[in-house]
Every structure is written in C-alpha cells, then in structure tokens.
C-alpha cells in the first residue's frame, strides 16, 4: 500500500482486489467545459479531458459511472465514498450514478461545503458559493464518528478570555441552578448561594475548585467580591466544538497566502479532507483517491496514520503529490512508492546490486535466489528451474557468456541437458546491453553444441528512459538594506520526453540529501530569492513528461557579492 500511481484510474482499478478499500474520496474534473478544468496541461490530463469531452453531459456521466462502479466493487462492506462535485452535474451524478450503483438507501448525506463568500458579482445575480459532496456507504454497517466544528470558528465568538497561562481561550459560564435544588443551597467560600441553589453538589464544586476551574470575582485589592457570583471556567481546548450536520461553512478554501497552497487551481483544503477521513475511517484503514491531483487526500491520510493509494493521469499531479509527501515525511513516516510508466536508466544502473537483481528477476517472472553472491554463478531461476544471471552493466563481453555456460550446467546438470535436447534455453542473462562478442558467442554455442543462452536487455523487461539533463545559472540581482542579497536562478533542462516543470529547495541540506521543495510548481524554471550572508545550498529539480527527474545543487557564498563555491 501507500502508492502513487500514474495512469488512467479505470485501467488501474480494474486490476485491484475487490473489497480492499475503507474510504474513497474523489474530486473528479467537473463538467464545466471550461479551460480551467485543465489543471496541469500535460499529455495525460489533456487525453483524459478530451476523453470526457467528446460528448455532452451523457458522455460525461457514462465516463464517470464506469469508474464509480469499480469504486463500489473496491469498497469493503463497511466502506464509504465521498464524491465531490458542483452544480454543473451534481443532480445527474446523484440520480444516474450514485443512486443506481450504491442504491438510494445507502445515501448518507449531501454535504454542502461553502467554499467562498459572496463577491461583487453577487450584487447582480445569485451567487453559487457551494460545492456538493455526495456521501454514500456500501451497506448500512459503516464506520462513522460524529463531526464537530473547528474550535477556531467558535473561539472568537464565545471563548474570548485568555490569561496567557498556557491554557488558551476560555469562557465564563453561570453556575447557578436553573431549577430550585434544596440540596445545592450552601455557602461556598463565603459566597452566598444563588436563589435556586448552585448547579453542582459540594463535592463537585470542591473538585472544580481544586482543578482551578472556578473563577472568583475580585475587588481592586484582590480580595473576593462577594456581591458578585463565582463562575465556571470552560477552556476551549477541552470542548469538542459544535456538533455538525451536512452544512459546512467553517472550512475556508485554500487562500493565496496559505502555507498549504501549492499553486494549482482546484486544490482542496486539508481541513476538508481531515474532516472526511476522521469521520469515516480508523487508523490503519485504507484511504483511496482515484483523482488525486496535488495529493491533498493522501497527504492528510498519511498525517492521520491511514494507509493510502492515489492515482492520477497527470505526471505533474503525481510528482507534486510525491513532493508534498516528501516535505512532510519524518523518521516515523511510512514508506511509499511511486509507479510511473518509465524507469530511470541511471537510477537502476546505480542501484544497490543485490536489490536490483532481486527486482529485475521478479519483473522478468523468475524467482531470485535471495542470496548475496548468487548460487553457483546464478542469481535466480525461472519456474521450471532454468537459471538466470543478472549483470548490472552495459556492453557485456564474451567471457560472461563462456562462464555462464559453465555455471548453468553446474547449477542443474540434468535440467541443462534436458533443455539442450529439447532446443530450450539453458539459461538467461539479463543486462543493460550486450557487446558484439557476446552475441557471436551465443550464436556459436547454439550452432556447435545446441546450447541456447537467451540474452535479455533490461529495457525488454521494464520501459526505460534517461532522466533530464540539467544545469543552473546564477546572477546577483541586488543587495538590499537589510543585508539580504537577492539572487536570480535560471534552470536549463532538456529531456527527450519534454520538460514539464521545476521545483526549488532554497535550504537544501548537503548532509541529509533530501529535497524538500520550497517552490513546488514552477513552469518556467526561473526564481529569485533573498539570502543572508553565508554559505547556501540551492537545489533545483527538473521533471519531464515521463515523471523522471534530475536534481542539480549549487553552493553559493553570499558576502556582499555572490560567488559559486
Ligand atoms: C479536480 S482535480 C483533483 C484535485 C485534488 N482533490 C486536490 O486537492 O489536489 C482532478 C484530477 O483528476 C485527474 N484525472 C482526470 N481524469 C483522470 C483519469 N481518468 N484517471 C486518473 N486521474 C484523472 C486530473 O489530472 C486532475 O489532477
């Protein structure tokens, strides 16, 4: 689990196991036929856009329905689905998709999320300020925890006191009994009881007093003011908030100045996903977002200790989600994998040899021996026992073939001779490429001794691509009055697949070697940033259309003037 997958969600879902998911949130592209519906603009997304738009609303509904059917199959019987949409198609989605697939009886609510306030155009016409989130479950036995509004929303209104003693905001409430209660009519620390008595019995009053939860009115000299009544102190952080139903007006859309803002339209606020995930899943559950976009759902799921799975057809969406996850990863975070269409040649070439052997043999359909150093010159075997050898290098020479023909015989003599007789391969060698000598030796062995050795290039097993080439240029712009120096960086990148975007880390740590993006989505590759005097490492990442990336780091010394070091 914990995977980000590039591709059309329909194809990927079809390969997934039934009843394996606890919660699905989807925020598919809306039916609006507007340019802003194309968010990333890369090949994958445009393909999907055209796919939905080759017809009108019926086509859109059919496109979505096919996918929602798969989601229904994937949900566990206790699972829930939240489908985020807007006025363009919310009615059709409910009637033609959700009621049909999940059944009207499994409708749990239409969440109305107010994402914006009325602006000027609301003076001319009725402004639509809300989105709809359809909420259905698979059966009537589902996970649900009540939802309470955020404290911030109520704090300013009701909890206005703060002694700055670390306990936060509080309110003072009445502690007189609403009905006459003879057993609560006692004097308390010199304060006479209210007309109908106190709200609490003496023991409870003592307990509240000991916990510092009673406020005593005082005079200027600090002594108790017996003409007023003590009150109960209620701290905001001890309250749950207001119990909520389906109208959510307390979650703001991602604002332009917000920390979580990445810089693409349709990004949903983390608070919204937090509320949905907390209401309908438990720690360790699996949360799935088939239209993951910039990764809001999975970033929140990860924070809340859920397992997760995200799919998007856009390479940019996947890479932005990956970076967001990396930015929040710490020592305790669970690992995750990113599945792209192509693998980075150089990365595989330089990977730990043992890991590489195991990985490529499995992808080839064999079983790795799982022993460092191999077994009699072989690294794994096919199902029938025929040996496999892996060479993590290029241009394999004639000696490798000669040695392998000996090792393959030693590994299993009977099988070797049987394969030889039946004109079957006696073994496989996997490598990045083979030299002419090796190919000729293979031909000679076949002609002279009927020994067939199959040479398999890594790119016949997994699609490979070369990562982008990248360099950075720097230019000092100015030194401002506060002693900060502004530097302009220009990234220059090329890739056969075409460059999609750049990301920047202005505080790259040489020790950790972990890229934590300060700017995640920069289409131009041009940034300026201000630095204090000292030595700084700046890293830029170039991502291409296959999702392959290159990182380049520059070290600059800033001391009135800028020098690359
Ligand atoms: C509205 S955005 C999701 C935004 C996301 N909720 C967030 O907060 O960042 C919709 C996403 O669906 C993706 N998409 C569209 N068609 C798809 C398909 N068939 N398979 C997978 N992803 C698709 C788009 O690339 C886009 O990133």
């Amino acid at each position: 689990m914990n995977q980000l997958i590039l591709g059309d969600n329909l194809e990927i879902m079809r390969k997934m196991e039934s009843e394996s998911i606890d919660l699905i949130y989807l925020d598919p592209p809306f039916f609006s036929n507007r340019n802003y519906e194309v968010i990333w603009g890369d090949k994958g997304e445009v393909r999907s856009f055209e796919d939905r738009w080759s017809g009108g609303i019926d086509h859109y509904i059919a496109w979505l329905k096919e996918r929602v059917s798969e989601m229904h199959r994937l949900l566990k019987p206790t699972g829930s689905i939240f489908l985020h949409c807007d006025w363009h198609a919310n009615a059709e989605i409910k009637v033609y998709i959700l009621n049909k697939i999940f059944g009207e009886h499994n409708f749990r609510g239409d969440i109305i999320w107010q994402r914006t306030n009325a602006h000027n155009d609301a003076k001319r016409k009725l402004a639509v300020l809300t989105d709809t989130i359809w909420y259905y479950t698979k059966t009537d036995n589902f996970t649900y925890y009540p939802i309470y509004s955020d404290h911030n929303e109520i704090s300013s209104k009701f909890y206005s006191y703060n002694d700055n003693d670390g306990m936060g905001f509080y309110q003072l409430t009445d502690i007189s009994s609403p009905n006459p209660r003879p057993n609560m009519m006692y004097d308390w620390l010199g304060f006479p009881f209210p007309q109908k008595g106190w709200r609490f019995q003496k023991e409870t009053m003592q307990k509240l007093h000991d916990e510092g939860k009673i406020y005593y009115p005082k005079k200027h000299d600090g002594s108790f003011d017996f003409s007023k009544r003590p009150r109960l102190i209620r701290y905001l952080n001890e309250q749950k908030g207001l119990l909520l139903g389906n109208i959510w007006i307390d979650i703001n859309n991602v604002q332009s100045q917000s920390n979580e803002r990445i810089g693409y339209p349709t990004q949903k606020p983390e608070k919204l996903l937090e509320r949905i995930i907390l209401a309908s899943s438990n720690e360790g559950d699996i949360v799935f977002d088939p239209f993951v976009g910039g990764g809001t759902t999975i970033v929140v799921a990860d924070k809340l200790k859920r397992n997760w799975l995200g799919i998007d057809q856009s390479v940019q969406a996947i890479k932005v989600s990956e970076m967001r996850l990396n930015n929040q990863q710490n020592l305790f975070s669970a690992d995750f994998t990113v599945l792209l269409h192509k693998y980075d040649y150089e990365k595989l070439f330089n990977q730990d040899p043992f890991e590489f052997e195991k990985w490529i043999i499995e992808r080839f359909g064999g079983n790795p021996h799982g022993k460092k150093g191999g077994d009699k010159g072989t690294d794994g075997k096919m199902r029938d026992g025929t040996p496999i050898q892996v060479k993590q290098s290029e241009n394999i020479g004639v000696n490798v073939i000669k040695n392998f023909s000996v090792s393959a015989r030693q590994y299993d003599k009977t099988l070797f001779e049987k394969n030889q007789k039946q004109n079957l391969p006696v073994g496989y060698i996997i490598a990045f490429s083979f030299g002419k000598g090796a190919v000729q030796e293979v031909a000679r062995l076949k002609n002279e001794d009927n020994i067939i050795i199959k040479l398999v290039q890594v790119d016949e097993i997994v699609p490979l691509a070369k990562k982008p080439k990248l360099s950075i240029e720097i230019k000092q712009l100015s030194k401002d009055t506060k002693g900060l120096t502004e530097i302009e960086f220009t990234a220059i990148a090329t890739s056969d697949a075409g460059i999609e975007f750049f990301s920047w880390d202005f505080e790259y740590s040489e020790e950790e070697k972990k890229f934590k993006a300060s700017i995640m989505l920069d289409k131009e590759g041009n940034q300026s940033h201000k630095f204090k005097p000292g030595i700084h490492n700046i890293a830029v990442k170039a991502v291409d259309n296959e999702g392959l990336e290159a990182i380049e780091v520059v070290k600059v010394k800033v001391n009135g003037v800028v020098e690359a070091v």
Side-chain angles (χ1 to χ4, degrees):
M1 264 304 155
N2 293 6
Q3 274 198 338
L4 266 172
I5 307 178
L6 173 66
D8 182 351
N9 48 26
L10 184 62
E11 283 167 33
I12 295 159
M13 283 190 289
R14 282 185 176 147
K15 293 184 209 139
M16 286 164 58
E17 203 182 313
S18 299
E19 305 199 340
S20 56
I21 303 286
D22 296 283
L23 165 63
I24 298 177
Y25 167 85
L26 66 151
D27 173 21
F30 295 165
F31 179 74
S32 54
N33 199 12
R34 294 260 284 279
N35 271 345
Y36 69 64
E37 210 212 350
V38 172
I39 307 161
W40 316 99
D42 54 41
K43 271 196 253 160
E45 195 198 10
V46 169
R47 206 178 308 123
S48 164
F49 178 75
E50 285 162 0
D51 192 16
R52 289 188 307 281
W53 271 106
S54 50
I57 182 102
D58 293 345
H59 186 80
Y60 175 81
I61 293 297
W63 175 88
L64 190 58
K65 191 173 178 184
E66 240 186 325
R67 287 167 172 80
V68 174
S69 290
E70 283 299 317
M71 293 173 209
H72 181 261
R73 179 181 66 78
L74 296 178
L75 270 186
K76 289 183 189 167
T78 48
S80 316
I81 186 165
F82 292 80
L83 195 162
H84 194 136
C85 50
D86 75 356
W87 63 270
H88 289 95
N90 60 1
E92 288 85 349
I93 289 175
K94 179 178 202 285
V95 177
Y96 300 129
I97 301 183
L98 292 163
N99 280 356
K100 290 257 159 46
I101 296 172
F102 281 82
E104 277 161 59
H105 54 287
N106 285 319
F107 165 82
R108 305 286 161 212
D110 47 343
I111 296 165
I112 304 299
W113 172 49
Q114 181 177 341
R115 69 188 143 69
T116 178
N117 290 317
H119 299 297
N120 257 344
D121 62 343
K123 291 182 184 157
R124 287 184 287 110
K125 61 177 173 51
L126 186 79
V128 179
L129 309 174
T130 57
D131 282 356
T132 304
I133 305 171
W134 294 119
Y135 167 33
Y136 282 69
T137 58
K138 190 152 176 178
T139 65
D140 52 15
N141 172 27
F142 54 91
T143 306
Y144 184 75
Y145 297 101
I147 301 171
Y148 293 90
S149 76
D150 198 51
H151 285 152
N152 290 338
E153 174 61 18
I154 46 178
S155 60
S156 53
K157 283 191 204 145
F158 304 114
Y159 290 74
S160 46
Y161 300 101
N162 192 344
D163 294 340
N164 294 319
D165 55 0
M167 294 294 286
F169 284 93
Y170 62 89
Q171 62 173 197
L172 297 176
T173 58
D174 192 6
I175 45 172
S176 50
S177 171
N179 314 307
R181 311 277 282 275
N183 59 336
M184 304 222 192
M185 294 179 180
Y186 52 87
D187 283 352
W188 180 251
L189 303 183
F191 287 93
F193 57 82
Q195 207 182 3
K196 296 179 184 169
W198 301 107
R199 183 184 282 238
F200 307 111
Q201 288 177 357
K202 216 168 184 175
E203 297 73 47
T204 314
M205 200 73 145
Q206 185 63 50
K207 187 168 164 279
L208 289 169
H209 171 88
D210 294 344
E211 289 171 356
K213 295 271 176 68
I214 301 204
Y215 162 84
Y216 297 100
K218 288 186 184 137
K219 296 191 201 147
H220 286 304
D221 63 4
S223 61
F224 284 174
D225 182 350
F226 296 111
S227 68
K228 295 187 178 138
R229 194 162 296 145
R231 289 160 78 81
L232 182 69
I233 300 177
R234 288 173 56 149
Y235 287 101
L236 175 64
N237 60 17
E238 290 173 352
Q239 313 307 317
K240 277 189 158 166
L242 298 173
L243 193 57
L244 284 191
N246 69 328
I247 299 195
W248 297 359
I249 58 164
D250 58 334
I251 297 179
N252 292 329
N253 208 346
V254 183
Q255 306 292 313
S256 59
Q257 296 309 316
S258 154
N259 280 344
E260 67 182 88
R261 185 170 187 269
I262 312 291
Y264 63 91
T266 78
Q267 178 183 357
K268 298 297 175 289
E270 294 188 11
K271 268 253 137 61
L272 185 73
L273 271 304
E274 189 181 291
R275 181 167 288 172
I276 290 173
I277 292 173
L278 287 175
S280 54
S281 71
N282 293 297
E283 279 190 16
D285 278 1
I286 301 179
V287 177
F288 172 39
D289 187 338
F291 295 89
V292 80
T296 314
T297 311
I298 58 173
V299 161
V300 176
D302 201 67
K303 268 190 208 157
L304 298 174
K305 299 193 170 57
R306 271 64 173 170
N307 292 309
W308 51 262
L309 181 69
I311 304 178
D312 204 289
Q313 210 176 38
S314 151
V315 96
Q316 284 188 53
I318 295 292
K319 295 303 283 186
V320 166
S321 301
E322 179 187 7
M323 272 186 255
R324 250 172 113 179
L325 284 160
N326 278 335
N327 275 12
Q328 79 170 26
Q329 285 262 311
N330 61 32
L331 237 47
F332 308 104
S333 307
D335 284 343
F336 66 90
T337 48
V338 182
L339 284 187
L340 302 169
H341 297 158
K342 296 240 168 124
Y343 292 90
D344 180 350
Y345 191 99
E346 201 179 311
K347 206 166 166 187
L348 293 182
F349 197 78
N350 295 315
Q351 202 182 356
D352 171 75
F354 184 61
E355 299 258 306
F356 175 73
E357 265 166 39
K358 192 170 163 292
W359 182 82
I360 197 75
I361 290 175
E362 279 169 359
R363 255 139 212 87
F364 187 53
N367 287 320
H369 291 328
K371 283 190 225 166
K372 282 204 174 157
D375 185 352
K376 294 184 191 145
T378 68
D379 301 311
K381 58 180 180 193
M382 297 302 280
R383 266 202 212 123
D384 66 357
T386 313
I388 307 170
Q389 187 177 66
V390 178
K391 291 281 172 200
Q392 197 180 10
S393 40
E394 293 167 341
N395 212 10
I396 296 300
V398 61
N399 285 342
V400 170
I401 312 296
K402 286 200 163 123
N403 294 341
F404 182 65
S405 68
V406 177
S407 326
R409 189 189 295 270
Q410 275 172 358
Y411 178 70
D412 186 338
K413 193 159 175 276
T414 329
L415 180 67
F416 185 95
E417 286 168 0
K418 189 177 138 231
N419 282 338
Q420 196 180 8
K421 261 195 213 117
Q422 294 181 358
N423 297 327
L424 293 171
V426 299
Y428 299 85
I429 305 178
I430 301 173
F432 283 88
S433 63
F434 297 91
K436 231 181 179 174
V439 176
Q440 278 165 2
E441 178 61 11
V442 165
R444 191 191 67 75
L445 284 168
K446 175 157 190 330
N447 292 341
E448 292 178 12
D449 305 318
N450 202 34
I451 292 174
I452 303 174
I453 292 175
K454 271 252 179 257
L455 303 183
V456 187
Q457 289 200 165
V458 173
D459 64 0
E460 293 172 53
I461 306 173
V462 288
L464 297 180
K466 296 237 159 108
K467 68 177 189 189
K469 290 201 175 65
L470 172 65
S471 60
I472 314 181
E473 280 177 2
I474 58 172
K475 188 171 143 201
Q476 178 171 351
L477 287 186
S478 69
K479 187 177 170 195
D480 76 15
T481 45
K482 287 181 198 135
L484 298 175
T485 304
E486 189 171 11
I487 309 177
E488 183 185 52
F489 300 90
T490 309
I492 299 152
T494 52
S495 149
D496 291 345
I499 296 295
E500 274 304 333
F501 70 101
F502 300 88
S503 306
W504 299 85
D505 180 352
F506 294 117
E507 291 164 25
Y508 183 77
S509 137
E510 263 184 315
E511 294 79 53
E512 275 187 67
K513 296 223 170 344
K514 253 195 142 189
F515 184 93
K516 292 208 162 181
S518 337
I519 306 274
M520 227 171 262
L521 199 57
D522 167 13
K523 300 261 190 182
E524 308 301 328
N526 189 276
Q527 291 290 328
S528 54
H529 194 79
K530 290 182 179 165
F531 295 91
K532 286 190 197 142
I535 299 221
H536 302 272
N537 289 299
I538 295 96
V540 62
K541 195 181 255 197
V543 178
D544 75 11
N545 211 294
E546 309 278 14
L548 298 198
E549 58 183 45
I551 296 186
E552 188 63 27
V553 182
V554 280
K555 193 179 215 160
V556 292
K557 190 166 155 198
V558 178
N559 188 8
V561 288
V562 176
E563 282 171 67
V565 281

